[in-house]
Amino acid sequence: MKRTLYDLAGEDPACRFSPFCWRSRLALAHKGLDADVVPWRFTERDRLGFSGQDRVPVLVDGERVVADSWAIACWLEDRYPDRPSLFDGDGGRAVSRFVNVWADSELHPQVARMVVADIPSLLAPADRAYFHESREQRFGMALERVSADRAERVESFRRELLHPLRTMLGQQPWLGGEAPVYADYIVFGAFQWARVGSAFELLEKDDPVAMWRERVLDLHGGLARATPARSAAAATASAAAA
Ligand SMILES: N[C@@H](CCC(=O)N[C@@H](CS)C(=O)NCC(=O)O)C(=O)O
């Protein structure tokens, strides 16, 4: 059966930095399902017209169109029950929903503030203009100002926001316990967004959260690691060119 996942891309089609799309890519890999992961750009609304959506990820699974990363995870779990489970049962699904809401409402806004200024230089020219305008409207200020205090901000991010995650990962290797589950992919998506989109480092090397991030990067044949981290030199060069 043909399966297609629409995934946000930068000017370089290999640059995939959407946290939500990473959730879906890892969920597909966890289930052992192949998909054509096709690049999509912010200003290509027409190409998503068939789905009635203007955001990615969108999964086309045979005849079925599923949009939104949480809906995609639930679809995959229910449609492919014989494959490895993303939730480990109804209780796991319910708790994963909490992790989903926590990531969207607490983790993402903090990561966004620290990396948003680095994103435009990754984008194709039309997307760059759209991104600047839409995000400056969202934050109510120039993107450079949004990220200006990140060296201080990252301290409380590590110390406060990540404290429960770090404590838990000191006691067990995955959010799922002895093995990764969808909750791991939800949280990881935010770190992959920062890793691919920005050279600013969110984590200290010896942080248990950083060690867990390395483990997720290795999962499924190193799927997430195959998309390179942004280097400081490349970020400076593309920002100068943009
Ligand atoms: N709740 C959605 C959020 C999806 C989302 O916001 N995707 C971003 C890419 S990371 C997008 O497509 N944004 C389009 C835009 O900002 O115009 C999900 O979980 O899939």
Side-chain angles (χ1 to χ4, degrees):
M1 165 147 41
K2 187 170 160 48
R3 230 172 265 112
T4 305
L5 183 75
Y6 288 81
D7 182 12
L8 185 63
E11 181 163 32
D12 173 357
C15 174
R16 308 295 176 96
F17 58 93
S18 157
F20 302 104
C21 296
W22 275 107
R23 296 179 191 179
S24 300
R25 290 186 69 178
L26 289 161
L28 282 159
H30 185 101
K31 287 275 179 197
L33 298 168
D34 290 331
D36 242 353
V37 182
V38 299
W40 174 84
R41 299 198 172 85
F42 285 115
T43 46
E44 296 180 329
R45 303 277 155 144
D46 295 357
R47 286 181 57 218
L48 285 188
F50 71 90
S51 70
Q53 301 295 321
D54 58 2
R55 284 168 186 258
V56 288
V58 172
L59 175 71
V60 184
D61 194 356
E63 299 293 302
R64 183 68 176 241
V65 177
V66 191
D68 185 88
S69 58
W70 177 257
I72 291 171
C74 292
W75 163 258
L76 295 175
E77 186 74 346
D78 297 338
R79 171 74 183 76
Y80 303 99
D82 298 336
R83 304 290 186 117
S85 175
L86 289 166
F87 301 128
D88 276 343
D90 289 345
R93 187 185 304 231
V95 175
S96 302
R97 190 187 283 277
F98 167 76
V99 175
N100 207 69
V101 175
W102 175 78
D104 291 357
S105 60
E106 303 294 329
L107 178 61
H108 279 209
Q110 291 213 25
V111 173
R113 292 195 76 91
M114 293 186 277
V115 305
V116 71
D118 296 325
I119 303 292
S121 57
L122 283 178
L123 303 176
D127 273 21
R128 210 173 289 156
Y130 163 76
F131 189 87
H132 254 290
E133 195 182 322
S134 60
R135 273 35 179 195
E136 295 199 345
Q137 202 166 38
R138 187 178 296 174
F139 286 103
M141 64 179 91
L143 296 186
E144 293 63 31
R145 271 190 62 207
V146 177
S147 298
D149 63 350
R150 64 186 178 183
E152 297 89 65
R153 190 174 282 278
V154 75
E155 298 293 332
S156 62
F157 171 77
R158 290 172 183 160
R159 194 177 56 245
E160 291 162 21
L161 188 86
L162 298 185
H163 173 70
L165 183 63
R166 179 178 306 111
T167 304
M168 194 205 63
L169 289 170
Q171 295 164 11
Q172 60 190 56
W174 305 99
L175 277 80
E178 289 308 307
V181 289
Y182 187 64
D184 287 273
Y185 308 146
I186 296 170
V187 177
F188 172 78
F191 290 100
Q192 180 75 333
W193 175 26
R195 174 181 169 272
V196 176
S198 171
F200 183 71
E201 184 48 80
L202 294 182
L203 300 171
E204 290 176 307
K205 262 201 171 62
D206 60 351
D207 187 333
V209 180
M211 296 183 230
W212 162 83
R213 180 180 59 181
E214 292 300 306
R215 292 195 288 281
V216 184
L217 286 165
D218 286 335
L219 286 174
H220 312 305
L223 173 66
R225 200 184 286 286
T227 297
R230 194 149 189 211
S231 74
T236 311
S238 50

